[in-house]
Amino acid sequence: MVQIHALNQGRRSTLRPNTFWLLAPAITVLVLWTQIPFALTIYFSLRRFNLLNPERQGFVGLTNFASLLSDPVFWTAILNTLVLVGSVLLITVVLGLLLAVLFYQDFPGRSLARTLIISPFFVMPVVSALIWKNMLMHPVHGIFAWIAQSLGQEPIDWLAAYPMQSIVIMVAWQWTPFALLLILTGLQSLSKEQLEAAKIDGANPWQEFRYIIVPHLAQTLSVVVMLETIFLLTIFAEIYASTSGGPGLATTTLPYLIYLKAFGEYRIGAAAAGAVFAVILANIVAIFVLRMIGRNLQGGRT
Amino acid sequence: MTSQRLRWELSLLAYLAAGIMFFPIFWLFLTGFKSEGEAIAIPPRLFFTPTLESIQEALTRSDYGLHVINSLISALGSTFLALLLAVPAAYAMAFYPTRRTQGTLLWIISTKMMPPVGVVIPVYLIFRDLRWLDNIWALALMYAVMNLPVVIWTLYAYFREVPHEIMEAARVDGASTRQELLQVLLPVSLPAIASAALLSIILAWNEAFWSLNLTSAQASPLSVYVASFKTAEGLFWAKMSAASMIAVLPVMVMGWLAQRQLVRGLTFGAIK
């Protein structure tokens, strides 16, 4: 027995290819394009560096961070980012959950309806921004303005009067399908027998939803929240193509502020300090997601 | 009886929700077939004589073709490169795991969680010094790196389901690693490779942060071109819609086909 085992072991190891060269290219590329640039971002954040005056460089310690933290613009951007992410999360998770329950039922034409409803997720963000900004929210030629007028109301200049709300609506429209798809996937592991049993026990639809569906989805919902947070923290194109961060600073989020500082004002040091904050913010959430992914990797091992 | 009725009402509600969510896209497509005057008409025109004028005009603008080609190069080129790097890596991790494999995989996934703004400044400066700014191949390289974690993960998840016996049999018959990969694994993995490719193409095609920051006139893909319509205040809406429609439609169809893979690829197995 022992001998056979040893033999097997031996055979395994001789059959084992050198996996180093298979993995090395992918890992090298990822290190070169993610880790080294981030290290450089940290390096730049500690230096005085303005592209308009590139000769005047030098180590300035934490000055960039100090001036960033004492800048009200930075705090506005942080607040805007949190408002955007928080509101979109709330809307997409609630809507996604309700829609998932709706689309969990079998009804004729379900796959067509499902295909239509998830389509916004595949529209390039720049185009979504233009559709909403122009064709829907425009104060003169937009459909919303026309609806308001038909109802005898003053048309609203959405992007001027309610800039952040408008961006939230746009982004929520794009990400509700994502939440819906994920929650539907989570629902598929719910056994129909369990629902049948609840029905026989006299549960009404609300009780079914509240006491069976929602608890079953607890893990799925937390994954939706965390993944969406990570993706939403990087929202850029929608703002670029619709409000350009304005009016004033009303829709300037952290990514947009970093973009403005780096490519509008050429203040590399300050922008890099902001970027370090953006990474920290994303990592707070990423740690939890990665832990969950790691757990599933282990659990799935055969 | 009542549950039958409830079911009816629920499906009606589902149609209604689908209609509302799809309406902005429907409206974009409709506007693409209008003339400029009809595009901004109030009340909005649902019925009109459709014209191909705006689509023609969008297509025949000399630079539109350039942007389409740039989008194709960056989406397909980056996908090809990502697969080239990902297939061997996923193969090694799925079939020959070591004690460090799980950590490596998690680290690869973690790079996807790095916000692009965290690295944009050095990347921009390096591109500038290498004279890679406004170069479509450089953008494709950027996209390949961006999508590499998703592609590796998608392939890895599939490879793990492939019975190891197939590979071992080939190995005992004296196949080299290269033969094993190309002649045994690839043919049975075509569906996985196709879905990883689809996912990567969709993500690269729609991307706008890197394209806006790293390209300008020569290398800009459709995302950048469409963004240039952002100042169109009631002007050129039909042309904007026509140009957008052509940019959106092919990828939307791909998205319809790749729904399930998309969920798997973007959640990294966090949802089972």
Side-chain angles (χ1 to χ4, degrees), chain A residues 95 99 116-117 120 132 136 144 173, chain B residues 13-27:
Chain A
L95 268 182
L99 290 172
L116 290 181
I117 207 167
W132 283 88
L136 300 177
F144 292 172
W173 176 70
Chain B
L13 206 60
Y15 289 132
L16 188 72
I20 293 173
M21 287 288 281
F22 193 73
F23 178 78
I25 300 170
F26 164 75
W27 199 250

Side-chain angles (χ1 to χ4, degrees), chain B residues 229-245:
Chain B
F229 278 103
K230 70 178 193 160
T231 45
E233 287 283 331
L235 288 166
F236 314 124
W237 281 12
K239 236 166 279 141
M240 176 188 84
S241 303
S244 305
M245 179 169 72

Side-chain angles (χ1 to χ4, degrees), chain A residues 69-89:
Chain A
L69 288 174
S70 60
D71 186 353
V73 172
F74 171 73
W75 293 106
T76 310
I78 291 273
L79 189 67
N80 285 339
T81 309
L82 296 179
V83 168
L84 175 65
V85 173
S87 321
V88 172
L89 271 181

Side-chain angles (χ1 to χ4, degrees), chain A:
Chain A
M1 269 306 257
V2 174
Q3 259 177 339
I4 291 169
H5 187 71
L7 203 70
N8 267 337
Q9 286 268 312
R11 211 184 80 194
R12 246 173 203 286
S13 61
T14 50
L15 284 177
R16 202 182 165 77
N18 189 349
T19 55
F20 176 81
W21 293 108
L22 298 169
L23 268 166
I27 290 178
T28 310
V29 163
L30 282 171
V31 169
L32 274 177
W33 292 90
T34 61
Q35 314 292 293
I36 291 178
F38 181 58
L40 281 171
T41 300
I42 297 175
Y43 170 76
F44 287 135
S45 74
L46 301 173
R47 294 177 71 84
R48 179 206 310 278
F49 186 12
N50 189 317
L51 279 182
L52 293 179
N53 193 356
E55 268 72 55
R56 204 163 150 258
Q57 272 197 56
F59 182 77
V60 292
L62 296 174
T63 314
N64 287 321
F65 289 94
S67 65
L68 198 66
L69 288 174
S70 60
D71 186 353
V73 172
F74 171 73
W75 293 106
T76 310
I78 291 273
L79 189 67
N80 285 339
T81 309
L82 296 179
V83 168
L84 175 65
V85 173
S87 321
V88 172
L89 271 181
L90 191 70
I91 296 173
T92 55
V93 170
V94 171
L95 268 182
L97 184 58
L98 293 177
L99 290 172
V101 173
L102 213 53
F103 278 82
Y104 179 62
Q105 331 273 330
D106 231 342
F107 59 85
R110 176 173 70 162
S111 61
L112 174 70
R114 202 178 89 158
T115 300
L116 290 181
I117 207 167
I118 60 161
S119 298
F121 192 61
F122 305 118
V123 173
M124 59 170 74
V126 175
V127 171
S128 324
L130 290 178
I131 300 177
W132 283 88
K133 177 193 174 181
N134 292 318
M135 275 115 82
L136 300 177
M137 291 176 164
H138 194 276
V140 182
H141 306 297
I143 291 199
F144 292 172
W146 171 69
I147 293 173
Q149 266 170 339
S150 315
L151 298 174
Q153 307 280 316
E154 268 307 290
I156 298 166
D157 187 353
W158 284 87
L159 289 173
Y162 303 104
M164 184 49 94
Q165 290 89 329
S166 305
I167 300 276
V168 166
I169 294 172
M170 258 178 226
V171 177
W173 176 70
Q174 287 181 287
W175 285 89
T176 299
F178 181 73
L180 165 62
L181 277 175
L182 263 55
I183 297 170
L184 260 181
T185 309
L187 266 181
Q188 261 138 27
S189 59
L190 179 66
S191 72
K192 296 249 178 191
E193 286 93 52
Q194 212 180 339
L195 283 177
E196 289 301 319
K199 233 171 238 148
I200 290 164
D201 288 347
N204 64 32
W206 165 251
Q207 286 169 326
E208 239 174 71
F209 178 74
R210 172 68 189 80
Y211 295 106
I212 297 180
I213 294 179
V214 171
H216 175 79
L217 287 175
Q219 202 211 339
T220 304
L221 290 177
S222 61
V223 172
V224 172
V225 168
M226 292 188 290
L227 279 175
E228 262 195 50
T229 306
I230 290 172
F231 293 128
L232 292 174
L233 279 172
T234 65
I235 290 285
F236 175 81
E238 290 85 341
I239 295 171
Y240 174 91
S242 63
T243 62
S244 306
L249 291 171
T251 53
T252 300
T253 57
L254 189 54
Y256 203 78
L257 181 72
I258 296 164
Y259 161 79
L260 285 179
K261 287 225 186 285
F263 304 113
E265 302 171 19
Y266 303 109
R267 290 171 56 197
I268 297 301
V276 172
F277 274 105
V279 172
I280 292 172
L281 214 55
N283 275 357
I284 294 172
V285 190
I287 288 169
F288 291 101
V289 188
L290 287 169
R291 193 174 292 168
M292 195 169 274
I293 294 170
R295 215 181 298 138
N296 279 2
L297 272 180
Q298 219 141 30
R301 180 160 283 184
T302 41

